[in-house]
Amino acid sequence: MQGIDGPEESGGSLLPSDSDSARIRAFELVRDVQAADPGADSEIARLLARAEREGWPDVARGCLYAQAVSAWFASADDLSEIVEALLLRSVDDGDNVMVALALAMRAARGTTGDDPAAAAAADADLARAAVLVEEGEGGPLERISAHTALGVAFGDRGLWELGDEQHAAVFTIAKSKAPGTLDYVLAAVVYNRAEVQVSWACRLRQLGDSAGVAKRLQIWKEVSAATSSFSVPEAWRTELAALGVLLA
């Protein structure tokens, strides 16, 4: 199991013995949740408890993010509560990049429903998050996650160009690190960026912009091909193939 090098055992799995490996494991668990790993939720809970016990605030924030992603994928009723907990913890810790991440997740949820006031508040969250992630300092895992959440929130609003800029920023960050070191967080970004191209291309086709559609198709091919470099769940590959048929 990657990122685990310590002897402590809980619930049948080893827990990281230092804050650096535990922080990496928290973000690996985000990937595991996205891949529907049945043991991910329980490990997140154990790792969060360990982070609180050891006084590892960055690990605790990573675990809260992992819990929020899990609740998102499960459409859980407590998603808003978890996102608020992540937001409050990040504000208290002075981590503006994770504040941006929480705000972006809250903004994406705010696109649903018919309440104009809630929609306006969500847009304000999104604008604030976009500023914070550019001005804030943080590790590559945190910054990649914040840009990804922003990309999703922009995409939910049909602002595909802004969303694509956020996904592109992720790869700029990744290029500054040793090849392969961030692959476990890039698979979802690759999928999200490919999906954005499809939505964008469909709207451009409605507008009769053939050149624009062709450009989106080309970028989709490049991004989709990049999934061969990452460990991507088979279901995602199937969905990408279906999107390719739609584009064709």
Side-chain angles (χ1 to χ4, degrees), residues 61-234:
R61 293 192 298 272
C63 288
L64 287 172
Y65 169 50
Q67 287 185 336
V69 173
S70 178
W72 182 293
F73 273 72
S75 298
D77 293 337
D78 60 349
L79 171 59
S80 296
E81 296 176 12
I82 299 172
V83 172
E84 287 301 315
L86 173 60
L87 176 59
L88 291 174
R89 182 64 175 264
S90 300
V91 169
D92 288 344
D93 292 347
D95 187 338
N96 282 342
V97 171
M98 292 300 281
V99 169
L101 171 56
L103 287 173
M105 294 190 76
R106 191 168 75 174
R109 290 291 294 178
T111 62
T112 61
D114 299 319
D115 185 348
D123 287 344
D125 282 344
L126 184 56
R128 183 182 170 204
V131 172
L132 286 173
V133 77
E134 294 298 335
E135 295 182 349
E137 297 182 359
L141 292 172
E142 290 80 0
R143 290 167 60 208
I144 284 173
S145 301
H147 280 295
T148 301
L150 278 163
V152 170
F154 280 127
D156 285 347
R157 288 161 170 77
L159 300 173
W160 298 296
E161 185 171 3
L162 294 176
D164 197 50
E165 288 177 0
Q166 295 297 325
H167 295 314
V170 166
F171 292 96
T172 299
I173 295 169
K175 287 178 181 177
S176 67
K177 304 301 175 183
T181 57
L182 297 174
D183 283 0
Y184 60 90
V185 293
L186 292 179
V189 183
V190 169
Y191 177 87
N192 287 341
R193 194 177 188 200
E195 193 174 38
V196 164
Q197 308 309 314
V198 177
S199 298
W200 195 352
C202 288
R203 180 57 56 87
L204 290 171
R205 187 179 186 281
Q206 290 176 329
L207 297 173
D209 186 350
S210 299
V213 171
K215 182 176 181 180
R216 292 306 112 206
L217 177 58
Q218 180 59 36
I219 293 179
W220 180 86
K221 289 179 178 178
E222 295 171 0
V223 175
S224 183
T227 60
S228 63
S229 302
F230 305 113
S231 176
V232 176
E234 193 59 35

